[in-house]
Amino acid sequence: MPRQIPQGDASLSRELGARQPVWDLPTRLTHWLLAALIAFSWWSAEYHRTEWHIWSGCAILALLLFRLLWGLFGSSTARFSNFVRGPGAVAGYLRGHWRGIGHNPLGALSVVALLLAVAIQVGLGLVAQDEDGLFFGPLAQLVSSDTSDSARDLHEQWFDILLYLIVLHVAAIAFYRLFSGKKLTGAMISGRGEVVPGAPPMRPAKWWVALLCLTAAVAITRWVVAGAPPFGP
Amino acid sequence: MNRISVILAAAGFCLLGACKAQQPAPNTEQPTNSAAADPVEPIDAAAPLGTAVAGEEAKAVMHERHEGMEKIGKSAKTISRQLKSSSPDLAAIRAAAATIAELAPKTPGWFRPGTGPDVGKTGAKPEIWQSSADVAEKDLAFRQAAKAFDAAAASGDVTRIKASWSELGKTCKACHDKYRKEMHH
């Protein structure tokens, strides 16, 4: 595939190395809050702050729902339709044929895997109960006591899977930093990053779309926390 | 100056309020008449967790402990789930409370020296036998709370049952947080 650098088009042709908007604020906030809440969830489980652990999980649910909605209605680089690609695109990326902005086809796999793994972890926690029968996920009443016990065991085991994916994620960022000089962490903080020449600029979504997505995410979370009426107790 | 005295007075009132709030609620956790007739066994200060065991006897104690804890846990799940439902099944709660009240007096014998992780597979941490007085005290609190909960369950008063259940749950957690291994089964 030949390099496609539009000539003489000021809006599309950009200088190599110029830092351009890549991640919008909602995407960045979601990312760092998710990271912080996963760390807090681990800590609160490890140190038996079970009530806090459950609330942390509910907050993660809200974040996940927001990210899902933002992946449909958010800025171009946050949209799943813009970055989730098939194996052909991944192979092409590995051979150096990718001129995009945001997640590359390989990184997209990591995003999907991480979001899925967190979603599974939240799902298990929602229906789990603790060993002593004192703490319950908000949806534990929808399943039997034995199912809640199994969910707790899986919830403990699935955390290891999640941890492997997080380690892989961080290792990949370190790899890019060391071997191709890309500062991905800085871009996730500032929102701006180096973009390959010819890549289309990020199309930011309106702030009120973010507000609507957040409202919907919080509303769904509140419904789940209430035990998902009318299916609940 | 005036403002400071008002703030001080307000702070004083808040403190008084706090003192009042800390006074124990009247008589919800105290054993009832039947409990007074059949008191909770006190701790033996000389051997808070009983005498040492070894060999088959130790295995038998560990087995009884495991099965007993499992039964108590199962009963706890039944009680919690019933109390969370919109129409709690009082008969199920009473039966589960009776199971716990029946097993609770046996718990002082479940942690006799020689029944730790060096002897067999168990969730019990070795620290139990390094702080046997603390464990025995926490076990006593559990036995008292189990008895009180049994009485609360018999009363059929859901508000009282819930309050008493919360107290009993705390005594489970107090020991498990400190003396139980993670991922032990």
Side-chain angles (χ1 to χ4, degrees):
Chain A
M1 199 172 142
R3 279 164 59 103
Q4 294 173 336
I5 304 172
Q7 299 293 315
D9 187 337
S11 70
L12 285 178
S13 128
R14 282 182 163 77
E15 242 179 278
L16 187 63
R19 283 156 56 79
Q20 295 178 42
V22 178
W23 310 119
D24 58 26
L25 187 65
T27 304
R28 282 176 283 148
L29 274 179
T30 306
H31 172 269
W32 292 113
L33 276 173
L34 195 56
L37 282 172
I38 287 171
F40 179 75
S41 290
W42 168 81
W43 179 86
S44 55
E46 196 70 10
Y47 292 94
H48 311 292
R49 307 293 202 281
T50 317
E51 218 138 321
W52 293 0
H53 180 80
I54 294 168
W55 284 115
S56 179
C58 294
I60 290 175
L61 173 65
L63 277 179
L64 270 183
L65 289 168
F66 173 79
R67 185 61 188 86
L68 200 70
L69 293 168
W70 198 238
L72 299 174
F73 308 112
S75 305
S76 59
T77 53
R79 288 198 189 195
F80 298 117
S81 60
N82 268 349
F83 64 76
V84 179
R85 291 275 174 273
V90 176
Y93 166 73
L94 290 173
R95 277 188 252 107
H97 306 155
W98 183 69
R99 294 275 168 268
I101 183 171
H103 298 297
N104 66 55
L106 183 62
L109 293 179
S110 170
V111 175
V112 171
L114 278 162
L115 286 176
L116 257 178
V118 176
I120 287 169
Q121 185 68 341
V122 167
L124 288 168
L126 283 176
V127 296
Q129 68 189 7
D130 77 321
E131 210 179 346
D132 299 338
L134 302 176
F135 298 96
F136 295 79
L139 300 184
Q141 295 281 94
L142 297 183
V143 301
S144 73
S145 190
D146 288 342
T147 306
S148 286
D149 279 332
S150 309
R152 180 195 61 250
D153 287 342
L154 286 171
H155 188 67
E156 283 181 30
Q157 289 160 17
W158 190 258
F159 181 67
D160 289 342
I161 308 276
L162 187 56
L163 210 51
Y164 289 133
L165 287 174
I166 291 169
V167 167
L168 192 67
H169 171 62
V170 174
I173 289 160
F175 180 88
Y176 275 103
R177 180 78 181 87
L178 293 173
F179 296 100
S180 62
K182 279 200 185 113
K183 294 174 182 168
L184 297 176
T185 314
M188 192 44 85
I189 294 169
S190 69
R192 301 175 83 85
E194 284 165 26
V195 171
V196 282
M202 176 180 90
R203 277 178 285 106
K206 294 273 181 291
W207 64 268
W208 54 265
V209 176
L211 204 64
L212 280 179
C213 290
L214 183 67
T215 308
V218 170
I220 297 168
T221 304
R222 287 184 66 142
W223 174 71
V224 169
V225 168
F231 314 107
Chain B
M1 217 49 210
N2 228 348
R3 201 178 290 167
I4 288 171
S5 57
V6 169
I7 290 169
L8 279 176
F13 267 110
C14 290
L15 279 174
L16 277 176
C19 284
K20 202 153 196 186
Q22 272 173 3
Q23 277 169 11
N27 208 25
T28 41
E29 299 319 314
Q30 294 308 309
T32 51
N33 293 337
S34 62
D38 181 17
V40 171
E41 190 92 14
I43 300 165
D44 176 4
L49 296 178
T51 50
V53 278
E56 284 309 305
E57 208 187 343
K59 295 264 187 232
V61 168
M62 291 171 82
H63 181 71
E64 191 195 337
R65 176 170 77 209
H66 183 84
E67 298 296 304
M69 287 294 190
E70 203 112 288
K71 275 186 201 151
I72 293 173
K74 225 177 157 101
S75 304
K77 284 159 192 169
T78 302
I79 294 163
S80 281
R81 281 172 172 265
Q82 286 304 333
L83 289 178
K84 277 174 182 294
S85 93
S86 47
S87 52
D89 176 352
L90 285 175
I93 293 175
R94 277 195 199 110
T99 303
I100 296 176
E102 200 183 296
L103 287 164
K106 296 178 181 163
T107 54
W110 286 355
F111 294 92
R112 293 168 69 180
T115 61
D118 47 338
V119 177
K121 192 171 171 285
T122 177
K125 281 187 183 172
E127 285 88 328
I128 290 170
W129 295 277
Q130 289 151 21
S131 359
S132 45
D134 181 47
V135 173
E137 235 169 80
K138 286 181 162 63
D139 179 65
L140 178 65
F142 161 66
R143 286 181 284 139
Q144 286 167 340
K147 206 175 182 79
F149 180 70
D150 194 28
S155 79
D157 173 356
V158 175
T159 314
R160 184 179 159 196
I161 293 174
K162 280 184 177 168
S164 183
W165 177 237
S166 152
E167 292 306 316
L168 177 53
K170 281 178 202 158
T171 66
C172 301
K173 195 166 158 48
C175 233
H176 290 165
D177 283 0
K178 215 168 158 182
Y179 297 112
R180 184 174 62 185
K181 265 188 289 193
E182 309 296 326
M183 295 285 279
H184 50 83
H185 52 91

